């Protein structure tokens, strides 16, 4: 008997094969994990009953917009039914077919005390988002990072819809760094009350979530997909964890003389962090300027209108020669990394991009004094950047809090720039870090895919996340 996929998927596509497998499983009385019924609470089964998959997504910052957009693309590939999106996000999510209900910049606030002036706006946007969810009637609500807004939203949704049979499955992508804080695992135990499934990007998070009663899947670090998008060679992800681009082409394109030294500055993506750290970065480079005959700086600017305006104004008043490019452009960003000698990087996910490019760096962090105090005395960690945390070593120099001054940064950064041993140590460590952040065993994942009825899928984080979402189900609280 010939089974044909539905939902606009091509017959031989992943979604089509998934539909065939899902239909066969649902009719043959297989195990409860693969069987659909009218009472099933799995996302894919709820979508099947209505002939479409509705997903409400929320991302509150630039990195979340990138992660969510790739997840949306993977959901469209894997889903056996047409997919409709609604929610809050940025330009990349819009390109995947979602019209945001308000600009995500309105909830892109970092820190503890930094949030206070924005509380009224925060509450209004939370109410607006909650109402939009009920109007859309999604099968799944997927929040990406931004735990302050995300968890408040999921908690409100659960409180208002827990008695309804059709309330959506709640999935959170990027587990909060509970492991970094004193008492963090205790707070993790309450998440199962309003989060049905957690998608983790650091290896040890899945087991810890499960031990604390929270269903979870480790999917690998989303930024590793930069390597997939920029490296055209086939093969497993673990074999191509390096992005090498043409530094000479970047220099030629921007008219830089052959001997020009290029430094990359990554000041963050949220306005609060950029306004604090970019002036420090610029003054740091000014202190080093006379040590180089020709010097230029490169800044990938986050696709946030407030950040773009601030960076442009700040650079206009700087004596440094600067090249600004859209931070969302992977080609331009990694071309510049290849042309650079070293980077100054605000603490955050951008350090993983530098690891992929094998670009030596120094990590810096500044925040409100009270926020810094809380971090200093409530954290369990010796380091703040993910590579150092994973290796439990200060491979990447960190200049934090009140010590993060232009003078101190210039001293530390100049050592990285001039010491080949430091550069080689960072390059060697990058390989170890990226291997640790790879998705689960590709053989194991392919076995799962074969059980679902299809083969040949590339094993990368957003694809694992998408398949996990399709088969996620409501949990009893």
């Amino acid at each position: 008997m010939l089974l044909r996929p539905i939902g606009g998927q091509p017959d031989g596509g992943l979604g089509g094969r998934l539909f065939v497998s899902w239909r066969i499983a649902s009719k043959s009385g297989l195990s409860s994990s693969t069987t659909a019924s009218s009472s099933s609470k799995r996302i894919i089964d709820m979508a099947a009953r209505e002939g479409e998959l509705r997903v409400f997504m929320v991302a509150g910052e630039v990195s979340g917009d990138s992660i969510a957009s790739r997840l949306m693309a993977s959901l469209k590939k894997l889903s056996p039914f047409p997919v409709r999106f609604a929610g809050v996000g940025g330009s990349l999510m819009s390109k995947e077919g979602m019209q945001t209900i308000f600009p995500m910049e309105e909830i892109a606030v970092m820190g503890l005390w930094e949030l206070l002036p924005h509380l009224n706006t925060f509450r209004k946007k939370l109410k607006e988002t909650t109402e939009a969810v009920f109007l859309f009637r999604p099968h799944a609500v997927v929040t990406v990072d931004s735990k302050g807004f995300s968890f408040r939203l999921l908690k409100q949704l659960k409180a208002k819809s827990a008695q309804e049979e059709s309330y959506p499955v709640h999935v959170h992508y990027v587990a909060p760094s509970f492991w970094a804080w004193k008492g963090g695992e205790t707070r993790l135990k309450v998440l199962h009350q309003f989060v049905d499934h957690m998608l983790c990007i650091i290896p040890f998070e899945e087991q810890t979530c499960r031990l604390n009663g929270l269903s979870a899947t480790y999917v690998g670090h989303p930024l590793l997909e930069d390597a997939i998008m920029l490296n055209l060679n086939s093969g497993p992800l673990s074999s191509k964890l390096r992005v090498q681009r043409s530094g000479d082409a970047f220099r030629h394109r921007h008219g830089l003389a052959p001997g020009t030294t290029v430094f990359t500055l990554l000041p963050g993506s949220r306005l609060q962090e950029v306004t604090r750290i970019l002036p420090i970065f610029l003054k740091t480079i000014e202190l080093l300027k006379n040590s180089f005959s020709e010097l230029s700086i490169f800044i990938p600017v986050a696709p946030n209108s407030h950040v773009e305006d601030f960076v442009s104004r700040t650079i206009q008043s700087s004596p440094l020669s600067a090249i600004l490019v859209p931070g969302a452009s992977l080609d331009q960003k990694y071309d510049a990394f290849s042309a650079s000698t070293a980077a100054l990087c605000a603490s955050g996910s951008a350090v993983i991009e530098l690891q992929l490019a094998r670009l030596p760096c120094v990590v810096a962090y500044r925040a409100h004094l009270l926020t810094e105090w809380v971090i200093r005395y409530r954290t369990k960690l010796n380091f703040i950047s993910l590579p150092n945390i994973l290796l439990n070593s200060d491979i990447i120099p960190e200049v934090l809090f009140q010590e993060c001054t232009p003078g101190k940064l210039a001293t530390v950064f100049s050592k990285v720039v001039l010491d080949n041993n430091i550069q080689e140590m960072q390059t060697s460590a990058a390989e170890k870090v990226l291997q640790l952040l790879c998705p689960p065993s590709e053989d194991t994942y392919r076995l799962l895919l074969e059980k679902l009825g299809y083969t040949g899928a590339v094993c990368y984080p957003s694809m694992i996340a998408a398949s996990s979402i399709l088969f996620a189900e409501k949990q009893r609280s």
Side-chain angles (χ1 to χ4, degrees):
M1 174 176 143
L2 179 63
L3 293 175
R4 302 182 68 83
I6 65 173
Q9 299 287 351
D11 289 355
L14 297 179
R17 289 194 287 272
L18 178 56
F19 171 73
V20 171
S21 175
W22 169 83
R23 174 64 66 83
I24 292 172
S26 65
K27 287 189 173 183
S28 60
L30 297 178
S31 68
S32 59
S33 63
T34 56
T35 304
S37 72
S38 60
S39 62
S40 175
K41 297 181 179 180
R42 296 188 312 180
I43 291 173
I44 191 170
D45 297 327
M46 290 189 287
R49 291 194 288 271
E50 299 189 33
E52 70 170 1
L53 172 63
R54 296 188 299 276
V55 183
F56 193 97
M57 303 194 67
V58 176
E61 54 193 75
V62 170
S63 60
D65 181 43
S66 175
I67 293 170
S69 67
R70 291 174 177 176
L71 174 60
M72 291 168 70
S74 292
L75 280 170
K76 288 188 289 186
K77 288 178 182 177
L78 282 179
S79 174
F81 314 105
V83 186
R84 282 204 293 138
F85 297 102
V88 179
S91 59
L92 296 177
M93 294 169 72
S94 295
K95 290 178 181 178
E96 292 297 335
M98 191 193 79
Q99 184 174 357
T100 185
I101 58 177
F102 56 78
M104 70 174 186
E105 289 87 349
E106 297 186 20
I107 58 171
V109 181
M110 68 173 292
L112 304 172
W113 270 254
E114 291 88 341
L115 176 62
L116 292 178
H118 305 276
L119 273 179
N120 192 42
T121 298
F122 194 85
R123 291 193 185 102
K124 288 180 179 178
K125 296 306 173 185
L126 188 60
K127 181 175 183 292
E128 187 177 345
T129 307
T130 303
E131 292 172 350
V133 172
F134 282 100
L135 285 173
F136 187 60
R137 297 181 64 249
H139 303 109
V141 176
V142 181
T143 52
V144 182
D145 210 354
S146 302
K147 66 179 185 296
F149 188 88
S150 295
F151 291 161
R152 285 174 175 84
L153 172 66
L154 296 180
K155 190 180 294 185
Q156 285 196 14
L157 292 176
K158 184 63 179 289
K160 293 183 177 182
S161 63
Q163 304 307 316
E164 299 181 17
E165 183 65 26
S166 61
Y167 80 86
V169 178
H170 295 172
V171 179
H172 186 71
Y173 195 173
V174 184
S177 52
F178 53 83
W179 37 267
W181 302 94
K182 297 173 183 176
E185 289 191 23
T186 302
R187 292 195 293 273
L188 181 65
K189 291 180 180 179
V190 306
L191 291 186
H192 79 276
Q193 297 174 8
F194 52 87
V195 176
D196 294 305
H197 198 83
M198 184 74 73
L199 299 174
C200 306
I201 67 171
I202 300 176
F204 54 79
E205 292 176 332
E206 177 183 342
Q207 182 179 9
T208 306
C209 284
R210 291 180 180 275
L211 289 174
N212 286 277
L214 183 59
S215 177
T217 302
Y218 170 60
V219 301
H221 200 289
L223 279 177
L224 300 188
E225 293 187 35
D226 286 1
I228 293 175
M229 299 183 73
L230 294 173
N231 292 336
L232 300 180
N233 58 300
S234 60
L237 174 59
S238 58
S239 70
K240 49 185 177 183
L241 293 175
R242 182 167 188 165
V243 179
Q244 289 182 296
R245 304 285 292 183
S246 175
D248 290 338
F250 177 85
R251 291 170 179 274
H252 178 75
R253 187 160 60 244
H254 293 282
L256 298 177
T260 302
T261 298
V262 179
F263 293 140
T264 289
L265 307 185
L266 295 162
S269 60
R270 305 180 191 93
L271 183 61
Q272 288 87 352
E273 64 180 336
V274 176
T275 53
R276 288 185 187 278
I277 205 72
L278 180 59
I280 295 174
F281 281 179
L282 293 175
K283 290 176 183 176
T284 298
I285 302 303
E286 285 181 40
L287 292 176
L288 299 173
K289 184 175 62 172
N290 293 335
S291 301
F292 305 91
S293 56
E294 295 286 343
L295 176 65
S296 185
I297 57 173
F298 157 70
I299 305 176
V301 184
N304 175 319
S305 58
H306 303 303
V307 169
E308 290 168 353
D309 291 342
F310 176 79
V311 172
S312 296
R313 291 197 312 270
T314 304
I315 289 301
Q316 287 174 6
S317 60
S318 171
L320 297 170
S321 169
I323 299 168
L324 307 182
V325 303
S329 171
L330 291 184
D331 288 293
Q332 294 188 62
K333 181 161 58 179
Y334 280 93
D335 280 353
F337 290 163
S338 295
S340 299
T341 300
L344 286 173
C345 179
S347 176
S349 59
V351 71
I352 302 301
E353 296 176 331
L354 298 178
Q355 296 270 286
L356 283 167
R358 303 300 193 271
L359 181 60
C361 68
V362 173
V363 167
Y365 182 80
R366 285 301 307 266
H368 188 283
L369 282 173
L370 292 174
T371 299
E372 292 184 357
W373 184 89
V374 170
I375 294 173
R376 187 185 296 273
Y377 292 102
R378 293 294 298 168
T379 186
K380 299 188 295 184
L381 303 177
N382 297 319
F383 310 107
I384 199 169
S385 64
L386 185 56
N388 288 351
I389 292 169
L390 291 175
L391 299 178
N392 194 30
S393 174
D394 57 350
I395 294 295
I396 298 176
E398 298 180 352
V399 184
L400 313 174
F401 310 134
Q402 297 304 301
E403 290 188 1
C404 185
T405 63
K408 176 68 173 178
L409 260 183
T411 299
V412 176
F413 189 58
S414 62
K415 291 181 180 178
V416 173
V417 171
L418 299 174
D419 192 326
N420 290 333
N421 289 330
I422 293 177
Q423 295 174 20
E424 291 172 3
M425 287 175 60
Q426 288 201 25
T427 299
S428 176
E431 181 69 29
K432 299 175 185 176
V433 169
L434 297 173
Q435 288 291 341
L436 288 172
L437 294 175
C438 271
S441 166
E442 299 197 15
D443 290 338
T444 301
Y445 186 61
R446 286 203 176 91
L447 181 61
L448 172 62
L449 295 181
E450 289 171 5
K451 287 182 179 180
L452 290 172
Y454 52 81
T455 59
V458 177
C459 180
Y460 51 92
S462 67
M463 189 68 77
I464 301 176
S467 61
S468 299
I469 288 172
L470 287 173
F471 287 94
E473 58 185 307
K474 300 175 188 176
Q475 303 295 318
R476 294 179 181 179
S477 57

